[in-house]
């Protein structure tokens, strides 16, 4: 690291996200539709640090990998570890 490199500290990142009100990205990776539906219902009005949630759904391991590549800023993955054989 040299003297000209810019550092970002956690409180600065949090502050900038709050100002833009960018929702936290949540990936639901499960092969059962009911899990996606109930997760969205339970968390639809949830906020963290002033920001809501944006949900993405994947029904297979392949879909999960694709969505993570498309959304590398995903905050949380709710993963069904026995989704596929």
């Amino acid at each position: 690291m040299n003297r000209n490199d810019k550092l970002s500290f956690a409180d600065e990142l949090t502050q900038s996200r709050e100002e833009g009100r960018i929702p936290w990205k949540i990936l639901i990776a499960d092969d059962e539709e009911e899990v996606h539906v109930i997760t969205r219902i339970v968390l639809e009005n949830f906020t963290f640090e002033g920001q809501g949630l944006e949900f993405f759904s994947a029904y297979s391991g392949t879909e999960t990998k694709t969505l993570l590549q498309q959304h590398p800023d995903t905050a949380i993955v709710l993963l069904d570890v026995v989704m596929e054989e």
Side-chain angles (χ1 to χ4, degrees), residues 3-71:
R3 298 183 94 149
N4 296 329
D5 290 341
K6 182 174 168 112
L7 295 175
S8 293
F9 295 94
D11 58 340
E12 293 172 350
L13 294 174
T14 299
Q15 183 180 15
S16 66
R17 279 185 76 88
E18 286 177 357
E19 290 169 1
R21 299 288 186 211
I22 301 168
W24 300 103
K25 293 182 179 181
I26 308 298
L27 174 57
I28 306 165
D30 199 296
D31 56 354
E32 295 184 33
E33 177 65 28
E34 298 84 12
V35 172
H36 295 261
V37 172
I38 205 72
T39 301
R40 289 170 187 265
I41 290 170
V42 170
L43 296 175
E44 68 184 343
N45 294 318
F46 182 81
T47 61
F48 179 72
E49 295 185 356
Q51 294 142 238
L53 307 177
E54 180 179 6
F55 296 99
F56 297 91
S57 290
Y59 296 89
S60 70
T62 302
E63 272 188 283
T64 301
K65 290 176 188 176
T66 299
L67 283 170
L68 285 172
Q69 289 171 343
Q70 293 173 352
H71 304 279

